[in-house]
């Protein structure tokens, strides 16, 4: 899911997003509550109409942003009090308010308010956040409107038993889908995969699972190998804006002088508008000259790349060729992975 | 002609540009000579291929930029020595080099190197620049490649007799088209129109004339009334990026708080993608939130607006209804104009 925090996937029109193959995007409750305001969005016909996006929208609850972006004043069992990162104004998020905000936005999938500690965190803090997250999940489930699809968010930091306990407590509340929160925050990838696998084992098989904040192609492939279905990450858009393109053979920094005369597209096998129309030399020129079209064309390509990756994954599973497909993808991608990650066989061992 | 100085009309893809109705754009010899370099562009197949634009391209000669952007060291009858605004490197533009650069770029219309003094300028300096411009025009005509279409540039600052003399000297060289340079630099609009009319009288009727740097809708309409055919200006793109939209009833500053809840499109009568898909409230949100999609959507709209303006002008002339059409356009546009400009009837008196 491409990330459209402020009701826009940065630099892209909804039309371009759809042409890249995106079917669902992630917007953010915290950001839209603060600006332009959820009641304003409701008055303007809801988020789909407001931003001109006909596809699905999942809204993150804002739990993560309250802890990462806002100046957090106080968190209690009631909710989280915080200061806006925009204008310093004070606000209080309760599970009920967060459901109301998401109902006003009219997202297709709403997320529970969770408490999401940073990495690393003590077992004691992790346990406290887990317990609060479970209580809040119950209140969110209760507060959800009749048509609102709500996902629970599993916490428990990097503690296997806490992750299992959190999953069990949420499953008892019977959500239509489950997310793994508080991961992809800088912990070793192997640990992410291990925790994801442990959680996945406790989740009901027929319901979607969502690894929040993942990630790199190798992370997505590893997590899919463990049965995870949904992903969101700012990588395609953020890296696109800074000049890093994902290609079938790995990442590429377009500002590099070696591309100055390169007539090839970013990724010769790619079918996106950027690759069909422009050379690396032109894209490099746009970045060097500080032209807005550069970040936009790389974002477009990167979003296409991840959508194509997910299509490839789905097709290979449907064809019963997941193991070979993922091994070949990773071999071509050349992602040995940082700091001694295991190879592709191990990553997909939970398949 | 939308302006695509650095081989990109800022924020727009060539596809969007074509959908907005643009048939010809202006790129800049000075900028592209410095970065990415004209020989590089030639190696990559020429400017059309490089930037993925199938329409026509007019390249400005860089005369104006040498005087306005570069740290100018020395201008002589031979040419202009200047320091790059990008990296401080030293360069020397001669009429011959400027023709070679434009040939390497492969533009459809190349402009002569001219000497373009700032406004205001003494009669003595204006005369010197005029004479040099005429000599250089002859050398450009001589240096032009076999297939190169070259326009002469009339100088003479704000002196009617010098403008006439410059026009006469260029017409003697028999160019396929003529531009009016050194105008739209801050002089009163009435003076621009008067000088344009005086020049236009001396130009051969069957060849295109081009008022460089114009302009606002009322300026374009006034100049068309005096027989000018072509225009370029950064207004649609620059104003779009800063949040100013052109509409049938005048300009609109999208950041204004009164648009916060406005469900209407920028211009209810407009058929552009921005107006078909988005409300003023959403566009305002994008600008307030600092989202790149905002400047892009307003640029798209503004380019469409000026293309629609030119289509309207052409159609009204073809229908023999130019006078009524332009009067109605200006009345609706509400452009009383700054500092006591005359009304629409006077502006079109030369028709």
């Amino acid at each position: 899911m491409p990330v459209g925090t402020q009701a826009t996937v940065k630099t892209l029109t909804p039309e371009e997003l759809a042409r890249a193959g995106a079917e669902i995007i992630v917007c953010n409750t915290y950001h839209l509550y603060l600006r332009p305001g959820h009641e304003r969005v409701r008055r303007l016909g809801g988020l789909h109409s407001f931003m001109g996006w006909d596809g699905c929208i999942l809204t993150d609850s804002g739990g993560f942003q309250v802890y990462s972006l806002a100046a957090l004043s106080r968190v209690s069992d009631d909710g989280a009090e915080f200061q806006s990162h925009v204008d310093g104004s004070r606000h209080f998020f309760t599970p009920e308010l967060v459901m109301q905000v998401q109902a006003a936005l009219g997202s297709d999938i709403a997320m529970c308010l969770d408490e999401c500690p940073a990495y690393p965190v003590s077992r004691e803090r992790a346990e406290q956040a887990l317990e609060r997250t479970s209580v809040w999940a119950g209140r969110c489930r209760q507060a959800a409107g009749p048509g609102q699809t709500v996902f629970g968010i599993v916490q428990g930091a990097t503690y296997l038993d806490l992750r299992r306990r959190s999953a069990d407590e949420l499953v008892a509340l019977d959500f239509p889908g489950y997310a793994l929160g508080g991961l992809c925050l800088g912990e070793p990838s192997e640990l992410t995969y291990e925790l994801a696998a442990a959680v996945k084992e406790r989740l009901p098989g027929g319901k979607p699972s969502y690894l929040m904040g993942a990630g790199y192609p190798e992370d997505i492939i590893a997590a899919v190998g463990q049965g995870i279905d949904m992903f969101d990450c700012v990588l395609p858009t953020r890296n696109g804006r800074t000049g890093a393109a994902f290609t079938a053979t790995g990442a590429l920094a377009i500002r590099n002088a070696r591309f100055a005369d390169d007539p090839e597209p970013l990724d010769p096998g790619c079918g996106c508008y950027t690759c069909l129309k422009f050379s690396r030399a032109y894209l490099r020129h746009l970045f060097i000259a500080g032209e807005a079209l550069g970040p936009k064309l790389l974002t477009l390509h990167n979003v296409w790349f991840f959508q194509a990756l997910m299509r490839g994954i789905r097709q290979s599973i449907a064809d019963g060729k997941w193991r070979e497909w993922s091994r070949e993808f990773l071999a071509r991608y050349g992602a040995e992975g940082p700091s001694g990650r295991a190879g592709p066989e191990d990553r997909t061992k939970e398949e």
Side-chain angles (χ1 to χ4, degrees), chain A:
Chain A
M1 298 180 285
V3 176
T5 303
Q6 302 195 103
T8 164
V9 174
K10 289 187 191 302
T11 79
L12 300 186
T13 64
E15 189 184 35
E16 289 167 332
L17 207 49
R19 281 160 70 185
E23 295 169 311
I24 175 169
I25 62 170
V26 178
C27 294
N28 194 275
T29 301
Y30 166 85
H31 285 273
L32 296 172
Y33 160 85
L34 290 177
R35 190 172 60 192
H38 56 293
E39 287 301 342
R40 171 166 290 146
V41 173
R42 188 211 295 272
R43 284 195 300 275
L44 290 159
L47 198 46
H48 295 78
S49 166
F50 182 60
M51 67 182 292
W53 172 246
D54 299 328
C56 289
I57 299 175
L58 179 150
T59 39
D60 193 4
S61 65
F64 178 73
Q65 282 70 30
V66 163
Y67 295 93
S68 62
L69 272 184
L72 185 69
S73 314
R74 192 176 57 88
V75 58
S76 69
D77 290 343
D78 289 341
E81 188 183 345
F82 61 94
Q83 270 192 296
S84 159
H85 76 289
V86 175
D87 63 4
S89 55
R90 302 185 80 81
H91 302 269
F92 192 68
F93 264 3
T94 62
E96 291 76 15
L97 175 59
V98 160
M99 284 298 107
Q100 285 163 28
V101 172
Q102 292 179 90
L105 296 174
S107 54
D108 301 284
I109 301 174
M111 302 300 292
C112 287
L113 185 65
D114 58 336
E115 185 172 357
C116 182
Y119 170 82
V121 67
S122 72
R123 187 184 164 84
E124 193 188 357
R125 267 292 289 120
E127 193 161 13
Q128 187 189 29
L130 176 169
E131 286 169 0
R132 199 166 267 152
T133 295
S134 289
V135 173
W136 288 358
R139 287 167 58 186
C140 283
R141 194 91 179 87
Q142 205 69 31
Q148 219 171 358
T149 298
V150 183
F151 280 18
I153 304 180
V154 175
Q155 289 290 347
T158 49
Y159 305 95
L160 265 176
D161 61 321
L162 295 186
R163 284 279 166 188
R164 290 193 183 105
R165 180 181 152 198
S166 178
D168 292 345
E169 291 181 10
L170 291 175
V171 169
L173 292 168
D174 191 26
F175 284 98
Y178 299 90
L180 288 79
L183 292 176
C184 307
L185 297 179
E187 77 281 1
S189 295
E190 276 309 300
L191 185 53
T192 316
Y193 308 158
E194 189 186 351
L195 292 161
V199 168
K200 183 65 193 175
E201 277 172 15
R202 312 299 265 240
L203 299 178
K207 293 184 173 176
S209 55
Y210 161 26
L211 179 57
M212 303 180 84
Y216 283 93
E218 58 270 32
D219 292 335
I220 289 175
I221 286 173
V224 165
Q226 288 158 349
I228 308 293
D229 305 293
M230 299 167 67
F231 307 91
D232 78 288
C233 193
V234 297
L235 270 180
T237 43
R238 180 176 294 167
N239 286 22
R241 292 200 303 284
T242 58
F246 290 90
T247 82
T249 54
L252 168 164
I254 196 63
R255 291 170 181 274
N256 196 299
R258 74 193 161 102
F259 299 124
D261 283 291
D262 191 336
E264 292 297 311
L266 280 177
D267 188 347
C270 178
C272 83
Y273 176 71
T274 303
C275 287
L276 293 180
K277 289 282 287 186
F278 305 103
S279 65
R280 292 171 181 163
Y282 180 64
L283 296 169
R284 176 177 188 272
H285 164 68
L286 293 177
F287 271 91
I288 298 296
E291 285 286 353
L293 189 60
K296 184 253 181 50
L297 290 176
L298 256 67
T299 299
L300 194 62
H301 166 78
N302 282 349
V303 169
W304 179 287
F305 174 87
F306 277 87
Q307 295 299 322
L309 170 64
M310 296 311 296
R311 281 195 300 274
I313 288 173
R314 287 193 291 266
Q315 191 62 48
S316 76
I317 293 172
D319 295 347
K321 295 182 175 165
W322 157 252
R323 185 177 292 271
E324 307 87 286
W325 185 91
S326 59
R327 194 178 295 145
E328 277 163 28
F329 178 93
L330 291 169
R332 191 172 57 243
Y333 190 70
E336 283 305 300
S339 59
R341 287 185 185 188
E345 293 81 355
D346 293 295
R347 290 194 210 174
T348 56
K349 67 174 185 271
E350 298 295 320
E351 186 191 355

